Amino acid sequence: YRSAPTYELEHDIDHSVSYVHGLVQDLIAGKELDYKTLASKELSALEQMVAKLNRCQVNEPEKEKFRKYISDMTFILRDVSENCPQ
């Protein structure tokens, strides 16, 4: 529902999950991309999501679900950024 307090955040996380999935697929496929830059940009977007989550009027167990998604994507993006050729 668009009126849910987490609607925008859910949309952002869904987009980010798709982006990270595609980035990892490209990496596995051996595509030559600037993974460090691409991962860095998405990490910035995740930081914005954390700020949005902190402002969100939902209970802590609900927030924790979102934090887990964000944390997992952050881990993957940092690994891509630090361990992949540019």
Side-chain angles (χ1 to χ4, degrees):
Y1 298 114
R2 290 180 185 227
S3 62
T6 59
Y7 176 80
E8 186 179 340
L9 182 61
E10 289 177 40
H11 176 269
D12 293 347
I13 288 174
D14 184 58
H15 174 79
S16 191
V17 167
S18 296
Y19 181 85
V20 171
H21 181 260
L23 190 64
V24 171
Q25 280 187 317
D26 288 345
L27 177 63
I28 291 168
K31 289 189 180 179
E32 292 188 27
L33 299 171
D34 185 352
Y35 291 100
K36 186 173 185 116
T37 298
L38 296 171
S40 177
K41 287 180 182 179
E42 194 62 20
L43 283 166
S44 294
L46 290 174
E47 289 175 13
Q48 293 173 2
M49 286 180 224
V50 169
K52 209 178 277 186
L53 177 60
N54 290 337
R55 293 189 305 268
C56 205
Q57 298 297 318
V58 295
N59 61 42
E60 279 304 310
E62 186 74 11
K63 284 185 178 184
E64 193 56 36
K65 293 177 192 175
F66 293 108
R67 285 187 188 112
K68 177 72 172 132
Y69 278 108
I70 293 169
S71 174
D72 289 349
M73 288 186 294
T74 299
F75 177 81
I76 293 167
L77 289 167
R78 284 187 179 148
D79 190 54
V80 167
S81 177
E82 295 168 4
N83 299 306
C84 293
Q86 290 185 349

